[in-house]
Amino acid sequence: MTEPKNRISPNGLKVWRIHGLLTSLVVWLLAAGAGVLIYIKEWPSWWIAIIVFAAVSELIIFVFWMPRLRWKRWRYEVREQEIELQQGVFITRRTLIPMVRVQHVDTEQGPILRKYSLAIIKISTAATIHEIPAIDLAEAEEMRQKISMLARVAEEDV
């Protein structure tokens, strides 16, 4: 079984790292609050060491390690009859979306994605919405048009 051939943009790795950093900021604020509480209540100071270890581990995992693995595993391919997605860090999930099931295709961009000229492609079927994250903006627009055209052709053939 061959993998889908396309990867998401390398800038997607930067976006996921920024997201991990923002999440880690929240974790560090909670850890600081817990450290202050431990100090005020005069609880054992080794609890602070455990909290700092957990916060540093979270930072390493979600800013450096997970985005890299996620980027390496994310693949996609748009074919005439279907769209294939592959994702997952520890458990790989492969999804085939028949073109006849595609109802509409959207692109989405938040402020961080906009900074790196990236977009998310959202493919809607009757049951779910599938996403292809961190695609270069020009490629995302082109792919949105292509999927829309292929879905119309597939619908006319049915």
Side-chain angles (χ1 to χ4, degrees), residues 19-142:
H19 183 266
L21 250 157
L22 294 173
T23 303
S24 292
L25 179 64
V26 172
V27 170
W28 277 89
L29 289 172
L30 292 172
V36 169
L37 182 65
I38 290 168
Y39 180 76
I40 290 171
K41 296 285 187 174
E42 297 180 359
W43 291 337
S45 59
W46 57 268
W47 286 10
I48 293 174
I50 291 173
I51 291 171
V52 168
F53 176 77
V56 168
S57 298
E58 188 272 342
L59 181 77
I60 291 168
I61 290 169
F62 290 103
V63 174
F64 299 104
W65 191 58
M66 291 295 274
R68 183 79 178 150
L69 281 176
R70 187 177 173 198
W71 181 81
K72 278 184 164 183
R73 302 280 198 295
W74 236 112
R75 295 182 175 269
Y76 66 94
E77 189 170 351
V78 177
R79 301 184 190 112
E80 282 189 35
Q81 299 296 317
E82 65 203 7
I83 302 164
E84 184 174 8
L85 308 176
Q86 176 182 301
Q87 62 184 319
V89 174
F90 299 112
I91 298 171
T92 303
R93 180 175 56 186
R94 294 181 73 171
T95 306
L96 282 175
I97 308 163
M99 282 297 177
V100 295
R101 299 284 183 226
V102 174
Q103 291 183 338
H104 66 274
V105 184
D106 298 319
T107 55
E108 184 178 287
Q109 220 183 13
I112 299 172
L113 289 171
R114 193 172 303 117
K115 178 182 179 352
Y116 291 100
S117 298
L118 299 174
I120 297 171
I121 297 175
K122 292 190 172 192
I123 305 159
S124 299
T125 64
T128 61
I129 298 174
H130 302 278
E131 292 185 355
I132 304 174
I135 303 292
D136 288 319
L137 190 56
E139 184 183 346
E141 225 11 77
E142 183 180 310

Side-chain angles (χ1 to χ4, degrees), residues 80 98-105 144-158:
E80 282 189 35
M99 282 297 177
V100 295
R101 299 284 183 226
V102 174
Q103 291 183 338
H104 66 274
V105 184
R144 184 176 70 85
Q145 295 294 332
K146 179 180 178 182
I147 292 170
S148 177
M149 186 212 36
L150 289 171
R152 276 194 302 269
V153 168
E155 191 176 280
E156 290 170 3
D157 290 344
V158 172

